[in-house]
């Protein structure tokens, strides 16, 4: 095998390994759980309740939940299920 070919194979292997590692880390940072809205809950109160389990500000958390669940923060109701972000 030519030395140039070997360098290309090693280079592609390294790039592939780096890509795999970075994509794995990104997917492990945030996971999702499903919660059921209870009487008196709001997206703000859920953000506060799960504050230690996510890295968002309250406003970012609310925006994320609204977008991922196609809901409006002012229109959530008891019994409704939503997914929320949590860190691993």
């Amino acid at each position: 095998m030519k030395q140039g070919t070997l360098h290309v194979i090693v280079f592609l292997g390294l790039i592939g390994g780096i890509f795999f590692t970075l994509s794995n880390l990104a997917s492990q940072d945030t996971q999702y759980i499903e919660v059921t809205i209870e009487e008196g809950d709001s997206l703000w109160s859920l953000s506060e309740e799960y504050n230690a389990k996510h890295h968002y500000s309250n406003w970012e958390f609310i925006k994320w939940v609204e977008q991922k669940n196609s809901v409006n923060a002012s229109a959530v109701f008891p019994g409704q299920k939503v997914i929320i972000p949590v860190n691993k």
Side-chain angles (χ1 to χ4, degrees):
M1 186 179 292
K2 292 184 177 179
Q3 190 174 12
T5 305
L6 182 59
H7 286 129
V8 169
I9 291 171
V10 170
F11 177 75
L12 291 176
L14 287 171
I15 295 299
I18 290 169
F19 177 77
F20 178 77
T21 301
L22 291 176
S23 65
N24 241 3
L25 288 174
S27 67
Q28 290 177 358
D29 285 344
T30 302
Q31 292 187 335
Y32 316 101
I33 60 172
E34 183 178 76
V35 296
T36 302
I37 305 292
E38 297 180 8
E39 189 69 39
D41 280 349
S42 65
L43 296 186
W44 186 276
S45 67
L46 287 176
S47 179
E48 293 282 315
E49 180 179 345
Y50 290 92
N51 189 24
K53 296 184 179 186
H54 67 80
H55 61 276
Y56 297 103
S57 71
N58 287 343
W59 292 113
E60 292 169 329
F61 178 93
I62 291 168
K63 186 77 168 168
W64 188 98
V65 173
E66 285 180 326
Q67 289 177 345
K68 298 296 181 185
N69 293 278
S70 299
V71 299
N72 186 308
S74 61
V76 294
F77 54 88
Q80 183 176 12
K81 295 182 184 301
V82 294
I83 59 168
I84 63 169
V86 293
N87 294 333
K88 190 169 184 179

